[in-house]
Amino acid sequence: MDGDLFSAVVGGTQLDGKVLQTFQKSFGQVQNILEQNRLLINEINQNHDSKIPDKLSRNVGLIRELNNNIKRVVDLYGDLSTSFSKSMEASSEGDSSGAVLLKSSNNNNNNNHGKAGGIKRNRPS
């Protein structure tokens, strides 16, 4: 997509450009965070392989940063899901505004203090 989104049809419901731009922005944020995670994982692996004490100690901070980034991605996807649901409800009720804004998760100090949206997920065994 080239960034000029005006409308789309999802499940037979038309979404307006503002909603689509919000989705596009959020997916861009997720992509950037995932790229950061790739770089962090590479550095963590290199430090681990080196077995140098200072580099191994640095991994503690890098792993914390990686964990926080993962929490940010979970929050962004949760916000996207909520916004999508609300925009679909608004569209199905005949309200053409449908523009639901996502909360900003740009900074590392979002107010959830390490909690991934308060949602507990079971991991497969």
Side-chain angles (χ1 to χ4, degrees):
M1 293 186 184
D2 62 3
D4 290 320
L5 298 176
F6 295 104
S7 66
V9 177
V10 178
T13 303
Q14 185 165 348
L15 301 176
D16 68 19
K18 192 170 188 176
V19 171
L20 291 173
Q21 287 174 352
T22 301
F23 289 149
Q24 186 177 27
K25 179 183 174 189
S26 294
F27 284 122
Q29 288 175 321
V30 166
Q31 197 63 36
N32 288 336
I33 294 169
L34 293 176
E35 177 62 21
Q36 289 174 5
N37 286 357
R38 185 185 66 78
L39 296 173
L40 285 170
I41 290 167
N42 286 342
E43 185 175 351
I44 290 166
N45 286 335
Q46 288 172 357
N47 290 347
H48 179 75
D49 291 343
S50 77
K51 300 198 184 340
I52 297 171
D54 286 342
K55 289 188 175 186
L56 292 173
S57 295
R58 177 167 163 65
N59 274 0
V60 173
L62 294 175
I63 292 169
R64 281 193 185 118
E65 185 178 348
L66 181 65
N67 191 39
N68 287 333
N69 284 353
I70 292 168
K71 290 175 184 174
R72 288 173 53 206
V73 168
V74 168
D75 288 342
L76 282 167
Y77 277 129
D79 293 343
L80 274 170
S81 176
T82 300
S83 295
F84 183 76
S85 295
K86 287 181 181 179
S87 66
M88 293 300 286
E89 287 174 12
S91 294
S92 68
E93 292 171 359
D95 178 11
S96 64
S97 68
V100 179
L101 298 178
L102 300 177
K103 73 178 182 180
S104 175
S105 297
N106 285 339
N107 60 13
N108 289 336
N109 296 325
N110 52 9
N111 293 328
N112 64 11
H113 302 291
K115 295 179 184 166
I119 300 171
K120 201 171 207 175
R121 292 178 175 82
N122 294 326
R123 295 184 183 184
S125 302

